[in-house]
Amino acid sequence: MRALNVPSSGEAPKVSELSVPEVTDGTVHVKAAGLNWADNGVAAGDDLQDDEALRSVLESARTVAIVGLSTDPGKPSSTIARILIDAGYEVIPVHPTATEILGRKAYPTLAEVPVPVDIVDVFRPPHEAARIAHDAVAIGASTFWLQLGITSDEARTIAEDAGLDFVENTCIGATTVRLGNTAKGTK
């Protein structure tokens, strides 16, 4: 369907290089591979994506499946999940071995999630993105979102060819905070 941002030039930082996001007065701060990144949801040097398109995606969503949500509450994925929960989204953890994360039932795969998913948010290495994109298409998700530090041309092609909105190298939590979004039906 549409890509909602332009990937950064150069190599994106690895997820393992990202610091745990800190939220101060509504601003999300992350340090990644020497970049200081705050509030706007993209790393310094990225072209800003279309905020109206991002706002539309976030406002039309209710459920977000987070593939790779960590069981460690100190990891970035846990912080981002808590931001989404606080904004009213139904967060569904997808983790191969956990049964519960952040007090929510976890599922080993996207295929096992028993409810419709609006956004599939990915905290996994780039080489896994294409497989997860196929899974997102198979469950009927409307948006495929790769977190800050994750890009994949192959995943983009899979998602867009199937009509999904596609976002990469962008933090869904920081974008939610920056745009002041809440889940569909929670305003």
Side-chain angles (χ1 to χ4, degrees):
M1 184 175 236
R2 59 186 169 160
L4 300 179
N5 71 338
V6 177
S8 63
S9 58
E11 189 170 322
K14 295 180 178 82
V15 174
S16 62
E17 296 172 337
L18 301 178
S19 67
V20 174
E22 296 177 13
V23 181
T24 309
D25 299 323
T27 300
V28 179
H29 300 274
V30 175
K31 291 185 180 177
L35 299 172
N36 281 322
W37 168 81
D39 195 43
N40 65 355
V42 295
D46 281 357
D47 293 324
L48 293 177
Q49 56 272 58
D50 179 350
D51 280 353
E52 288 308 310
L54 289 171
R55 183 175 281 111
S56 175
V57 163
L58 290 167
E59 287 179 350
S60 66
R62 179 79 183 103
T63 58
V64 180
I66 302 181
V67 178
L69 181 55
S70 178
T71 57
D72 180 348
K75 294 280 190 170
S77 63
S78 294
T79 302
I80 300 311
R82 286 190 302 274
I83 289 169
L84 295 174
I85 291 165
D86 288 348
Y89 293 95
E90 179 60 36
V91 170
I92 301 168
V94 178
H95 187 284
T97 61
T99 57
E100 184 177 289
I101 302 174
L102 298 175
R104 298 169 184 286
K105 180 170 175 42
Y107 298 90
T109 66
L110 282 172
E112 295 175 69
V113 174
V115 299
V117 172
D118 299 309
I119 298 173
V120 172
D121 182 38
V122 180
F123 275 94
R124 298 298 305 150
H127 70 271
E128 295 181 24
R131 176 190 53 79
I132 299 166
H134 280 296
D135 294 346
V137 169
I139 66 164
S142 57
T143 301
F144 190 70
W145 194 303
L146 297 176
Q147 276 298 134
L148 183 66
I150 307 169
T151 63
S152 171
D153 291 338
E154 187 178 1
R156 174 190 294 264
T157 298
I158 293 162
E160 289 177 346
D161 286 354
L164 278 67
D165 289 325
F166 181 84
V167 182
E168 68 180 354
N169 196 28
T170 303
C171 179
I172 193 172
T175 302
T176 297
V177 170
R178 179 174 62 85
L179 297 178
N181 279 92
T182 57
K184 180 179 179 178
T186 60
K187 281 191 174 185

PDB file of all heavy atoms in Angstrom, residues 55-62 83-89 175-177 179-187:
ATOM      1  N   ARG A  55      -0.264   9.381  11.998  1.00  0.00           N
ATOM      2  CA  ARG A  55      -1.374   9.636  12.922  1.00  0.00           C
ATOM      3  C   ARG A  55      -2.594   8.798  12.520  1.00  0.00           C
ATOM      4  O   ARG A  55      -3.245   8.183  13.362  1.00  0.00           O
ATOM      5  CB  ARG A  55      -1.724  11.126  12.932  1.00  0.00           C
ATOM      6  CG  ARG A  55      -2.820  11.489  13.923  1.00  0.00           C
ATOM      7  CD  ARG A  55      -3.067  12.990  14.005  1.00  0.00           C
ATOM      8  NE  ARG A  55      -2.025  13.595  14.827  1.00  0.00           N
ATOM      9  CZ  ARG A  55      -1.082  14.405  14.375  1.00  0.00           C
ATOM     10  NH1 ARG A  55      -1.017  14.724  13.106  1.00  0.00           N
ATOM     11  NH2 ARG A  55      -0.183  14.916  15.197  1.00  0.00           N
ATOM     12  N   SER A  56      -2.880   8.753  11.234  1.00  0.00           N
ATOM     13  CA  SER A  56      -4.016   7.980  10.742  1.00  0.00           C
ATOM     14  C   SER A  56      -3.864   6.488  11.071  1.00  0.00           C
ATOM     15  O   SER A  56      -4.818   5.838  11.516  1.00  0.00           O
ATOM     16  CB  SER A  56      -4.159   8.179   9.231  1.00  0.00           C
ATOM     17  OG  SER A  56      -5.168   7.351   8.715  1.00  0.00           O
ATOM     18  N   VAL A  57      -2.668   5.956  10.844  1.00  0.00           N
ATOM     19  CA  VAL A  57      -2.414   4.538  11.156  1.00  0.00           C
ATOM     20  C   VAL A  57      -2.623   4.285  12.645  1.00  0.00           C
ATOM     21  O   VAL A  57      -3.307   3.332  13.030  1.00  0.00           O
ATOM     22  CB  VAL A  57      -0.979   4.131  10.732  1.00  0.00           C
ATOM     23  CG1 VAL A  57      -0.550   2.831  11.392  1.00  0.00           C
ATOM     24  CG2 VAL A  57      -0.891   4.011   9.224  1.00  0.00           C
ATOM     25  N   LEU A  58      -2.062   5.138  13.481  1.00  0.00           N
ATOM     26  CA  LEU A  58      -2.162   4.933  14.930  1.00  0.00           C
ATOM     27  C   LEU A  58      -3.585   5.134  15.445  1.00  0.00           C
ATOM     28  O   LEU A  58      -4.043   4.407  16.325  1.00  0.00           O
ATOM     29  CB  LEU A  58      -1.177   5.838  15.655  1.00  0.00           C
ATOM     30  CG  LEU A  58       0.298   5.460  15.464  1.00  0.00           C
ATOM     31  CD1 LEU A  58       1.210   6.585  15.939  1.00  0.00           C
ATOM     32  CD2 LEU A  58       0.615   4.159  16.163  1.00  0.00           C
ATOM     33  N   GLU A  59      -4.303   6.113  14.902  1.00  0.00           N
ATOM     34  CA  GLU A  59      -5.662   6.376  15.375  1.00  0.00           C
ATOM     35  C   GLU A  59      -6.659   5.328  14.908  1.00  0.00           C
ATOM     36  O   GLU A  59      -7.700   5.151  15.525  1.00  0.00           O
ATOM     37  CB  GLU A  59      -6.116   7.769  14.950  1.00  0.00           C
ATOM     38  CG  GLU A  59      -5.428   8.859  15.739  1.00  0.00           C
ATOM     39  CD  GLU A  59      -5.828  10.260  15.324  1.00  0.00           C
ATOM     40  OE1 GLU A  59      -6.510  10.423  14.285  1.00  0.00           O
ATOM     41  OE2 GLU A  59      -5.445  11.203  16.038  1.00  0.00           O
ATOM     42  N   SER A  60      -6.354   4.634  13.814  1.00  0.00           N
ATOM     43  CA  SER A  60      -7.276   3.615  13.315  1.00  0.00           C
ATOM     44  C   SER A  60      -7.012   2.247  13.952  1.00  0.00           C
ATOM     45  O   SER A  60      -7.755   1.300  13.702  1.00  0.00           O
ATOM     46  CB  SER A  60      -7.185   3.514  11.794  1.00  0.00           C
ATOM     47  OG  SER A  60      -5.921   3.025  11.414  1.00  0.00           O
ATOM     48  N   ALA A  61      -5.982   2.148  14.760  1.00  0.00           N
ATOM     49  CA  ALA A  61      -5.595   0.863  15.353  1.00  0.00           C
ATOM     50  C   ALA A  61      -6.110   0.727  16.777  1.00  0.00           C
ATOM     51  O   ALA A  61      -6.229   1.707  17.512  1.00  0.00           O
ATOM     52  CB  ALA A  61      -4.080   0.726  15.346  1.00  0.00           C
ATOM     53  N   ARG A  62      -6.363  -0.513  17.150  1.00  0.00           N
ATOM     54  CA  ARG A  62      -6.726  -0.835  18.535  1.00  0.00           C
ATOM     55  C   ARG A  62      -5.773  -1.882  19.107  1.00  0.00           C
ATOM     56  O   ARG A  62      -5.405  -1.828  20.257  1.00  0.00           O
ATOM     57  CB  ARG A  62      -8.180  -1.350  18.559  1.00  0.00           C
ATOM     58  CG  ARG A  62      -8.678  -1.733  19.918  1.00  0.00           C
ATOM     59  CD  ARG A  62      -9.085  -0.514  20.725  1.00  0.00           C
ATOM     60  NE  ARG A  62      -9.485  -0.926  22.064  1.00  0.00           N
ATOM     61  CZ  ARG A  62      -8.711  -0.772  23.142  1.00  0.00           C
ATOM     62  NH1 ARG A  62      -7.546  -0.208  23.040  1.00  0.00           N
ATOM     63  NH2 ARG A  62      -9.108  -1.171  24.314  1.00  0.00           N
ATOM     64  N   ILE A  83       4.240   2.179  26.973  1.00  0.00           N
ATOM     65  CA  ILE A  83       3.764   3.433  26.368  1.00  0.00           C
ATOM     66  C   ILE A  83       2.472   3.163  25.593  1.00  0.00           C
ATOM     67  O   ILE A  83       1.493   3.912  25.700  1.00  0.00           O
ATOM     68  CB  ILE A  83       4.848   4.046  25.447  1.00  0.00           C
ATOM     69  CG1 ILE A  83       6.006   4.587  26.285  1.00  0.00           C
ATOM     70  CG2 ILE A  83       4.254   5.148  24.557  1.00  0.00           C
ATOM     71  CD1 ILE A  83       7.233   4.975  25.475  1.00  0.00           C
ATOM     72  N   LEU A  84       2.465   2.095  24.801  1.00  0.00           N
ATOM     73  CA  LEU A  84       1.276   1.766  24.004  1.00  0.00           C
ATOM     74  C   LEU A  84       0.090   1.396  24.893  1.00  0.00           C
ATOM     75  O   LEU A  84      -1.045   1.818  24.640  1.00  0.00           O
ATOM     76  CB  LEU A  84       1.592   0.642  23.024  1.00  0.00           C
ATOM     77  CG  LEU A  84       2.612   0.989  21.935  1.00  0.00           C
ATOM     78  CD1 LEU A  84       2.959  -0.246  21.115  1.00  0.00           C
ATOM     79  CD2 LEU A  84       2.111   2.115  21.048  1.00  0.00           C
ATOM     80  N   ILE A  85       0.341   0.636  25.946  1.00  0.00           N
ATOM     81  CA  ILE A  85      -0.725   0.272  26.885  1.00  0.00           C
ATOM     82  C   ILE A  85      -1.304   1.534  27.517  1.00  0.00           C
ATOM     83  O   ILE A  85      -2.525   1.696  27.603  1.00  0.00           O
ATOM     84  CB  ILE A  85      -0.200  -0.715  27.951  1.00  0.00           C
ATOM     85  CG1 ILE A  85       0.114  -2.072  27.301  1.00  0.00           C
ATOM     86  CG2 ILE A  85      -1.202  -0.861  29.102  1.00  0.00           C
ATOM     87  CD1 ILE A  85       0.964  -2.992  28.171  1.00  0.00           C
ATOM     88  N   ASP A  86      -0.429   2.449  27.950  1.00  0.00           N
ATOM     89  CA  ASP A  86      -0.886   3.700  28.559  1.00  0.00           C
ATOM     90  C   ASP A  86      -1.701   4.547  27.585  1.00  0.00           C
ATOM     91  O   ASP A  86      -2.556   5.333  28.002  1.00  0.00           O
ATOM     92  CB  ASP A  86       0.302   4.522  29.079  1.00  0.00           C
ATOM     93  CG  ASP A  86       0.941   3.920  30.323  1.00  0.00           C
ATOM     94  OD1 ASP A  86       0.341   2.996  30.924  1.00  0.00           O
ATOM     95  OD2 ASP A  86       2.048   4.356  30.678  1.00  0.00           O
ATOM     96  N   ALA A  87      -1.441   4.393  26.277  1.00  0.00           N
ATOM     97  CA  ALA A  87      -2.188   5.144  25.259  1.00  0.00           C
ATOM     98  C   ALA A  87      -3.486   4.428  24.872  1.00  0.00           C
ATOM     99  O   ALA A  87      -4.210   4.884  23.983  1.00  0.00           O
ATOM    100  CB  ALA A  87      -1.316   5.356  24.024  1.00  0.00           C
ATOM    101  N   GLY A  88      -3.779   3.309  25.529  1.00  0.00           N
ATOM    102  CA  GLY A  88      -5.042   2.625  25.312  1.00  0.00           C
ATOM    103  C   GLY A  88      -5.028   1.490  24.308  1.00  0.00           C
ATOM    104  O   GLY A  88      -6.070   0.903  24.017  1.00  0.00           O
ATOM    105  N   TYR A  89      -3.858   1.150  23.770  1.00  0.00           N
ATOM    106  CA  TYR A  89      -3.782   0.043  22.812  1.00  0.00           C
ATOM    107  C   TYR A  89      -3.830  -1.293  23.545  1.00  0.00           C
ATOM    108  O   TYR A  89      -3.321  -1.427  24.655  1.00  0.00           O
ATOM    109  CB  TYR A  89      -2.487   0.120  21.993  1.00  0.00           C
ATOM    110  CG  TYR A  89      -2.448   1.320  21.081  1.00  0.00           C
ATOM    111  CD1 TYR A  89      -1.829   2.502  21.482  1.00  0.00           C
ATOM    112  CD2 TYR A  89      -3.049   1.282  19.827  1.00  0.00           C
ATOM    113  CE1 TYR A  89      -1.805   3.613  20.670  1.00  0.00           C
ATOM    114  CE2 TYR A  89      -3.027   2.393  19.000  1.00  0.00           C
ATOM    115  CZ  TYR A  89      -2.411   3.560  19.423  1.00  0.00           C
ATOM    116  OH  TYR A  89      -2.395   4.666  18.615  1.00  0.00           O
ATOM    117  N   THR A 175       6.681   7.776  18.517  1.00  0.00           N
ATOM    118  CA  THR A 175       5.749   8.388  17.573  1.00  0.00           C
ATOM    119  C   THR A 175       4.388   8.590  18.230  1.00  0.00           C
ATOM    120  O   THR A 175       3.754   9.639  18.059  1.00  0.00           O
ATOM    121  CB  THR A 175       5.631   7.525  16.298  1.00  0.00           C
ATOM    122  OG1 THR A 175       6.937   7.381  15.728  1.00  0.00           O
ATOM    123  CG2 THR A 175       4.708   8.158  15.277  1.00  0.00           C
ATOM    124  N   THR A 176       3.932   7.614  18.999  1.00  0.00           N
ATOM    125  CA  THR A 176       2.669   7.728  19.720  1.00  0.00           C
ATOM    126  C   THR A 176       2.710   8.903  20.686  1.00  0.00           C
ATOM    127  O   THR A 176       1.776   9.718  20.734  1.00  0.00           O
ATOM    128  CB  THR A 176       2.367   6.414  20.472  1.00  0.00           C
ATOM    129  OG1 THR A 176       2.219   5.368  19.505  1.00  0.00           O
ATOM    130  CG2 THR A 176       1.116   6.508  21.311  1.00  0.00           C
ATOM    131  N   VAL A 177       3.794   9.024  21.437  1.00  0.00           N
ATOM    132  CA  VAL A 177       3.932  10.124  22.389  1.00  0.00           C
ATOM    133  C   VAL A 177       4.022  11.461  21.659  1.00  0.00           C
ATOM    134  O   VAL A 177       3.325  12.421  21.992  1.00  0.00           O
ATOM    135  CB  VAL A 177       5.174   9.916  23.295  1.00  0.00           C
ATOM    136  CG1 VAL A 177       5.463  11.153  24.123  1.00  0.00           C
ATOM    137  CG2 VAL A 177       4.972   8.699  24.191  1.00  0.00           C
ATOM    138  N   LEU A 179       3.026  12.385  18.679  1.00  0.00           N
ATOM    139  CA  LEU A 179       1.807  12.799  17.985  1.00  0.00           C
ATOM    140  C   LEU A 179       0.597  12.874  18.916  1.00  0.00           C
ATOM    141  O   LEU A 179      -0.463  13.332  18.514  1.00  0.00           O
ATOM    142  CB  LEU A 179       1.509  11.845  16.826  1.00  0.00           C
ATOM    143  CG  LEU A 179       2.567  11.811  15.720  1.00  0.00           C
ATOM    144  CD1 LEU A 179       2.178  10.788  14.658  1.00  0.00           C
ATOM    145  CD2 LEU A 179       2.764  13.181  15.109  1.00  0.00           C
ATOM    146  N   GLY A 180       0.761  12.408  20.154  1.00  0.00           N
ATOM    147  CA  GLY A 180      -0.326  12.443  21.108  1.00  0.00           C
ATOM    148  C   GLY A 180      -1.459  11.480  20.770  1.00  0.00           C
ATOM    149  O   GLY A 180      -2.617  11.729  21.094  1.00  0.00           O
ATOM    150  N   ASN A 181      -1.101  10.370  20.138  1.00  0.00           N
ATOM    151  CA  ASN A 181      -2.107   9.398  19.705  1.00  0.00           C
ATOM    152  C   ASN A 181      -2.627   8.551  20.843  1.00  0.00           C
ATOM    153  O   ASN A 181      -1.920   8.293  21.822  1.00  0.00           O
ATOM    154  CB  ASN A 181      -1.547   8.468  18.628  1.00  0.00           C
ATOM    155  CG  ASN A 181      -1.568   9.109  17.277  1.00  0.00           C
ATOM    156  OD1 ASN A 181      -0.603   9.717  16.883  1.00  0.00           O
ATOM    157  ND2 ASN A 181      -2.681   9.006  16.595  1.00  0.00           N
ATOM    158  N   THR A 182      -3.857   8.099  20.658  1.00  0.00           N
ATOM    159  CA  THR A 182      -4.445   7.075  21.514  1.00  0.00           C
ATOM    160  C   THR A 182      -5.097   6.047  20.619  1.00  0.00           C
ATOM    161  O   THR A 182      -5.346   6.299  19.431  1.00  0.00           O
ATOM    162  CB  THR A 182      -5.510   7.665  22.473  1.00  0.00           C
ATOM    163  OG1 THR A 182      -6.519   8.316  21.695  1.00  0.00           O
ATOM    164  CG2 THR A 182      -4.885   8.649  23.447  1.00  0.00           C
ATOM    165  N   ALA A 183      -5.375   4.892  21.171  1.00  0.00           N
ATOM    166  CA  ALA A 183      -5.972   3.810  20.397  1.00  0.00           C
ATOM    167  C   ALA A 183      -7.376   4.177  19.948  1.00  0.00           C
ATOM    168  O   ALA A 183      -8.074   4.980  20.593  1.00  0.00           O
ATOM    169  CB  ALA A 183      -6.011   2.537  21.235  1.00  0.00           C
ATOM    170  N   LYS A 184      -7.800   3.566  18.861  1.00  0.00           N
ATOM    171  CA  LYS A 184      -9.158   3.759  18.324  1.00  0.00           C
ATOM    172  C   LYS A 184     -10.173   3.487  19.426  1.00  0.00           C
ATOM    173  O   LYS A 184     -10.096   2.477  20.119  1.00  0.00           O
ATOM    174  CB  LYS A 184      -9.369   2.803  17.162  1.00  0.00           C
ATOM    175  CG  LYS A 184     -10.729   2.894  16.517  1.00  0.00           C
ATOM    176  CD  LYS A 184     -10.832   1.920  15.363  1.00  0.00           C
ATOM    177  CE  LYS A 184     -12.197   1.986  14.735  1.00  0.00           C
ATOM    178  NZ  LYS A 184     -12.287   1.075  13.595  1.00  0.00           N
ATOM    179  N   GLY A 185     -11.101   4.415  19.592  1.00  0.00           N
ATOM    180  CA  GLY A 185     -12.168   4.227  20.562  1.00  0.00           C
ATOM    181  C   GLY A 185     -11.828   4.612  21.990  1.00  0.00           C
ATOM    182  O   GLY A 185     -12.626   4.401  22.879  1.00  0.00           O
ATOM    183  N   THR A 186     -10.647   5.196  22.213  1.00  0.00           N
ATOM    184  CA  THR A 186     -10.259   5.548  23.594  1.00  0.00           C
ATOM    185  C   THR A 186     -10.215   7.050  23.841  1.00  0.00           C
ATOM    186  O   THR A 186      -9.853   7.474  24.908  1.00  0.00           O
ATOM    187  CB  THR A 186      -8.894   4.946  23.975  1.00  0.00           C
ATOM    188  OG1 THR A 186      -7.901   5.448  23.083  1.00  0.00           O
ATOM    189  CG2 THR A 186      -8.934   3.437  23.937  1.00  0.00           C
ATOM    190  N   LYS A 187     -10.558   7.859  22.852  1.00  0.00           N
ATOM    191  CA  LYS A 187     -10.529   9.324  23.052  1.00  0.00           C
ATOM    192  C   LYS A 187     -11.680   9.788  23.886  1.00  0.00           C
ATOM    193  O   LYS A 187     -12.737   9.300  23.889  1.00  0.00           O
ATOM    194  CB  LYS A 187     -10.539  10.031  21.700  1.00  0.00           C
ATOM    195  CG  LYS A 187      -9.180  10.040  21.067  1.00  0.00           C
ATOM    196  CD  LYS A 187      -9.175  10.963  19.892  1.00  0.00           C
ATOM    197  CE  LYS A 187      -7.773  11.059  19.358  1.00  0.00           C
ATOM    198  NZ  LYS A 187      -7.602  11.989  18.319  1.00  0.00           N
TER     199      LYS A 187
END
